[in-house]
Amino acid sequence: MNSEPGVDTADFAKAWSYADCVPGWLTRDQAVALWDAVRRLGKGARVVEIGSHQGRSTIVLGFAARSVGVTVTAIDPFVDGKLFGGSVTRQRFERNIATARLDDVVELVVGYSTKLRPEWGDSIDLLYIDGKHDYWTYTDDLKWSAHLPSGGEILVHDCFSSVGVTSGTLIKVFTGSKYTYLDRAGSLARFALRRPGRRDRLRLLAQMPWFLRNVWLKVLLRLRLRPVARLFGHDSPYDPY
Ligand SMILES: C[S@@+](CC[C@H](N)C(=O)[O-])C[C@H]1O[C@@H](n2cnc3c(N)ncnc32)[C@H](O)[C@@H]1O
């Protein structure tokens, strides 16, 4: 995947300068992938983001959305707990969106994607999935694609770095007939809502060594073997994504 935004590099730099101040897991290359996906949409389109946390990815989506007259619906229940931080995280999300002056572009819906989905009635033009990473939630989140037009794009974070998301991808994308794997930025994968051919399936399968490398690195980091992880090209205390 291209690591520079296709257009308006200065606009992207501004978006990233706000997003990069917000804690989260999105890398710059992945932000470029989100940016470009939104910029391919037409005026009046709607982006749905599942899993917003403090708004790192939402800010990138929001700036791109404003530049082409699109809106973003950000869905997060703000789950309590050590990892995601509950109501404090919600306050930070709202503050970060306000600081970036994106309140008129980003609509926050507080709730679980799995509970909201059966009630959802609007069309969607781009789906970004970065919510709960277990198999059941992720594969349910893929069902939001029922609201996409044919050929519409679905971007999935941690697609090749989480056992739940990767197994869901293998079952629903590799063995299924609805989604075509396009490319990836790190572990952020891009799919199109269309029937895959044999070569598309094989290209997806070819990402599995990358997934196994990431799982291996996670094991090393859990065992506090960072110097060994470095030997495999991972020079960070954080999980690969
Ligand atoms: C990895 S974080 C998202 C990171 C965010 N996209 C960013 O760039 O910083 C996962 C988020 O998913 C949320 N989440 C968990 N279960 C969810 C669900 N069923 N629907 C929507 N969001 C969910 C968590 O509250 C958490 O904020």
Side-chain angles (χ1 to χ4, degrees):
M1 194 183 281
N2 189 0
S3 64
E4 278 308 312
V7 282
D8 296 333
T9 307
D11 288 353
F12 173 80
K14 183 177 177 198
W16 185 240
S17 72
Y18 279 95
D20 202 22
C21 295
V22 175
W25 298 265
L26 190 79
T27 66
R28 187 182 182 283
D29 279 0
Q30 294 169 347
V32 170
L34 293 183
W35 176 270
D36 284 345
V38 175
R39 297 275 313 194
R40 284 188 283 272
L41 300 174
K43 195 171 178 192
R46 181 202 299 270
V47 178
V48 165
E49 172 183 67
I50 297 175
S52 303
H53 195 53
Q54 295 187 27
R56 187 173 170 95
S57 50
T58 323
I59 287 174
V60 175
L61 294 170
F63 271 100
R66 162 159 305 139
S67 72
V68 283
V70 167
T71 56
V72 179
T73 302
I75 297 174
D76 201 305
F78 297 104
V79 181
D80 276 321
K82 220 169 117 186
L83 183 59
F84 293 131
S87 56
V88 173
T89 302
R90 177 180 176 169
Q91 285 162 18
R92 288 184 182 152
F93 173 90
E94 288 173 337
R95 191 193 59 208
N96 292 333
I97 295 301
T99 302
R101 297 198 179 85
L102 290 169
D103 302 81
D104 57 329
V105 180
V106 174
E107 175 202 21
L108 173 64
V109 177
V110 178
Y112 290 90
S113 54
T114 44
K115 290 195 180 147
L116 293 165
R117 187 182 57 75
E119 310 295 324
W120 186 266
D122 296 328
S123 62
I124 296 174
D125 301 281
L126 177 69
L127 177 61
Y128 177 46
I129 301 178
D130 191 15
K132 198 170 180 194
H133 287 6
D134 65 88
Y135 173 87
W136 293 272
T137 308
Y138 167 60
T139 52
D140 197 273
D141 286 348
L142 278 176
K143 293 182 185 168
W144 281 78
S145 63
H147 301 282
L148 284 172
S150 171
E153 288 188 16
I154 304 152
L155 284 87
V156 178
H157 202 254
D158 295 310
C159 192
F160 303 115
S161 54
S162 149
V163 173
V165 179
T166 309
S167 56
T169 298
L170 282 176
I171 289 174
K172 299 295 174 187
V173 181
F174 179 68
T175 69
S177 56
K178 273 192 186 164
Y179 310 105
T180 294
Y181 170 70
L182 299 175
D183 52 24
R184 66 176 172 85
S187 277
L188 187 150
R190 201 163 63 91
F191 301 97
L193 185 68
R194 66 164 181 263
R195 192 179 181 83
R198 189 168 158 272
R199 287 173 73 172
D200 300 315
R201 292 181 203 275
L202 290 177
R203 278 189 312 104
L204 175 60
L205 209 55
Q207 310 311 313
M208 290 308 114
W210 164 254
F211 163 67
L212 293 173
R213 168 205 180 262
N214 290 334
V215 172
W216 170 238
L217 288 172
K218 280 176 149 179
V219 170
L220 292 175
L221 293 177
R222 297 296 174 281
L223 295 172
R224 297 177 193 278
L225 293 173
R226 207 177 143 194
V228 184
R230 218 175 277 135
L231 292 177
F232 286 87
H234 186 71
D235 193 10
S236 160
Y238 304 111
D239 285 348
Y241 40 80

